[in-house]
Amino acid sequence: MNLSPTEEQLALAGRLRDLGAARLGADIEARERSHRLQPGDWERCARAGILALPLPTAYGGLGLDPLSCAVAMEGLGHGCRDNGLLLSLGAHIWAVEIPVLEFGTEEQKERYLPALCDGRMVGAHALTEQEAGSDAMALTARARRDGDGYVLDGTKRFVTNAPIADVTLVYATVNPALGFTGVTAFLVDRDTEGLTVESRFEKTGMRTSPWGEITLRDCRVPAGARLGAEKQGSRILARAMAWERSLLLAPLLGTMRRQIEQCVQYARSRSQFGKNIGRFEAVAHRIVDMQLRLDAARLLTHRAASQLGGADASYAPEAAKLTTSEAAVATFLDAMQVYGGLGYTTGTDIERNLRDALGTRISSGTSDLQRVLMAEKMGITARARRTQPPRRPAATGAGGERRADAR
């Protein structure tokens, strides 16, 4: 399997890198302090076709395959300093656009996809609840059938893009007793009566990516708002997570690449004890390890992307998400060591990148959960099949009758 980027893929990545460097993330320090996304940046991304990357041309998309999307998003991350913007873009594309594309009716596709592509609408994906995080199927949000529609009740937490979303993909159960088989998905428009959004929590990192708490109280939606069939929510979620875990952190590959390049330049220009610090093995080896982690994360991301069109049994999405998130945290910690005291200041972006990376080990499933899922898919934690021990023949008497003392 050849995962080397083509000239066309590299050219697109280069254009998005230049866009990110020149037009996106301006005044990131001030906006991060105010926990604010720059609306103009979202519009610029829409005009550049970023929101349209994986969607068919029939709905205004560019029709790119997942691997091309991964390469393109790495290029964007290489140029753009605003990791929060990149996270919001990913949540919109992979967890909203893709489920609508794969499970929506033609009416739903025509209504939502063109507007999601060109930036007229922003999407959010509402799954997490107070008691349902990694245990995503332990949902308490209810969907009660009422006439020709449904009534939704429940609360969703930590919803990326919630304060700015025009449509939210909400997961609720039609019957808690059914467990994961009762989960059903709904597309809920922002102006739907009974839906309220509140920004209750401030984040350690990714501060320019808005998130909030969504409350549904007697929120009535028509049957046409249901995405897919009733009780199909677990399948929809599985596909959304496969795409999100494969590609959500692709921009972070570019961020790591930019950080490594800066560390190389700094190690060649910073002098201590009469020579450049890059001449010290401790520094040189640390940067080499940073590069090795990046290379491994990129390969796993590209492998996961290349398999998205196939069966869902592969652990490639979990491996890509786990490796990239852990690599990012380690890389930015190493960068801080290379820069020393300067790396601990806000002027180098290192501390902000580190804070942003910490959250990637939690979002879309914690690192621990990724290992649990991988163990299941590898068959490690599968229940062993019970086998009956061989039955001893019954003891019999000389004439074939069963003896009374037989056990």
Side-chain angles (χ1 to χ4, degrees), residues 158-347:
F158 312 139
V159 181
T160 298
N161 293 343
I164 61 173
D166 300 287
V167 59
T168 302
L169 178 53
V170 175
Y171 293 87
T173 178
V174 295
N175 184 351
L178 296 176
F180 72 91
T181 61
V183 176
T184 306
F186 299 89
L187 294 166
V188 184
D189 293 334
R190 183 179 184 84
D191 58 358
T192 303
E193 186 176 354
L195 181 146
T196 59
V197 180
E198 182 181 5
S199 298
R200 292 187 56 196
F201 303 96
E202 292 188 354
K203 293 181 287 185
T204 299
M206 297 291 187
R207 294 176 180 173
T208 58
S209 175
W211 70 348
E213 183 171 281
I214 291 178
T215 302
L216 304 155
R217 290 289 179 266
D218 292 324
C219 182
R220 188 177 299 274
V221 297
R226 189 187 67 219
L227 182 65
E230 195 170 284
K231 305 177 186 178
Q232 196 180 23
S234 59
R235 182 184 172 196
I236 295 173
L237 177 62
R239 283 298 289 162
M241 290 297 98
W243 278 83
E244 184 172 279
R245 289 167 181 160
S246 297
L247 296 171
L248 181 66
L249 301 187
L252 201 55
L253 301 173
T255 307
M256 286 190 281
R257 178 153 59 104
R258 184 178 71 248
Q259 192 75 82
I260 293 170
E261 292 168 352
Q262 292 170 349
C263 284
V264 170
Q265 183 178 4
Y266 186 74
R268 295 176 65 180
S269 60
R270 168 70 167 167
S271 179
Q272 289 286 283
F273 303 101
K275 57 183 177 182
N276 295 338
I277 63 172
R279 301 287 296 276
F280 296 106
E281 287 186 348
V283 174
H285 291 182
R286 177 169 279 115
I287 299 175
V288 167
D289 288 343
M290 294 163 68
Q291 184 65 48
L292 288 173
R293 286 192 293 265
L294 171 59
D295 290 345
R298 181 186 291 116
L299 285 171
L300 287 171
T301 297
H302 287 188
R303 185 181 72 169
S306 69
Q307 294 180 6
L308 277 173
D312 293 332
S314 169
Y315 60 74
E318 290 77 20
K321 194 271 178 181
L322 172 63
T323 301
T324 304
S325 61
E326 297 288 342
V329 172
T331 292
F332 300 135
L333 281 171
D334 278 345
M336 190 171 287
Q337 289 295 121
V338 170
Y339 274 74
L342 184 61
Y344 198 57
T345 69
T346 59

Side-chain angles (χ1 to χ4, degrees), residues 330-397:
T331 292
F332 300 135
L333 281 171
D334 278 345
M336 190 171 287
Q337 289 295 121
V338 170
Y339 274 74
L342 184 61
Y344 198 57
T345 69
T346 59
T348 60
D349 285 352
I350 296 173
E351 61 84 27
R352 179 166 47 78
N353 286 337
L354 176 58
R355 286 188 288 104
D356 290 344
L358 290 172
T360 67
R361 300 192 302 180
I362 300 172
S363 60
S364 197
T366 65
S367 292
D368 295 320
L369 178 63
Q370 306 309 317
R371 289 183 170 92
V372 168
L373 296 173
M374 289 185 65
E376 290 178 355
K377 291 183 177 182
M378 292 171 64
I380 301 171
T381 55
R383 293 183 179 180
R385 297 180 61 183
R386 292 186 177 181
T387 57
Q388 296 292 335
R391 179 179 296 176
R392 290 189 306 174
T396 59

Side-chain angles (χ1 to χ4, degrees), residues 71-112:
V71 176
M73 294 305 285
E74 178 179 344
L76 183 64
H78 189 211
C80 178
R81 296 169 59 217
D82 189 346
N83 298 316
L85 169 65
L86 301 174
L87 178 70
S88 282
L89 291 171
H92 170 97
I93 298 169
W94 315 124
V96 181
E97 288 184 352
I98 293 298
V100 174
L101 174 66
E102 294 196 351
F103 295 93
T105 64
E106 191 57 40
E107 180 181 356
Q108 289 171 332
K109 293 177 186 178
E110 292 177 356
R111 178 180 180 184
Y112 290 109

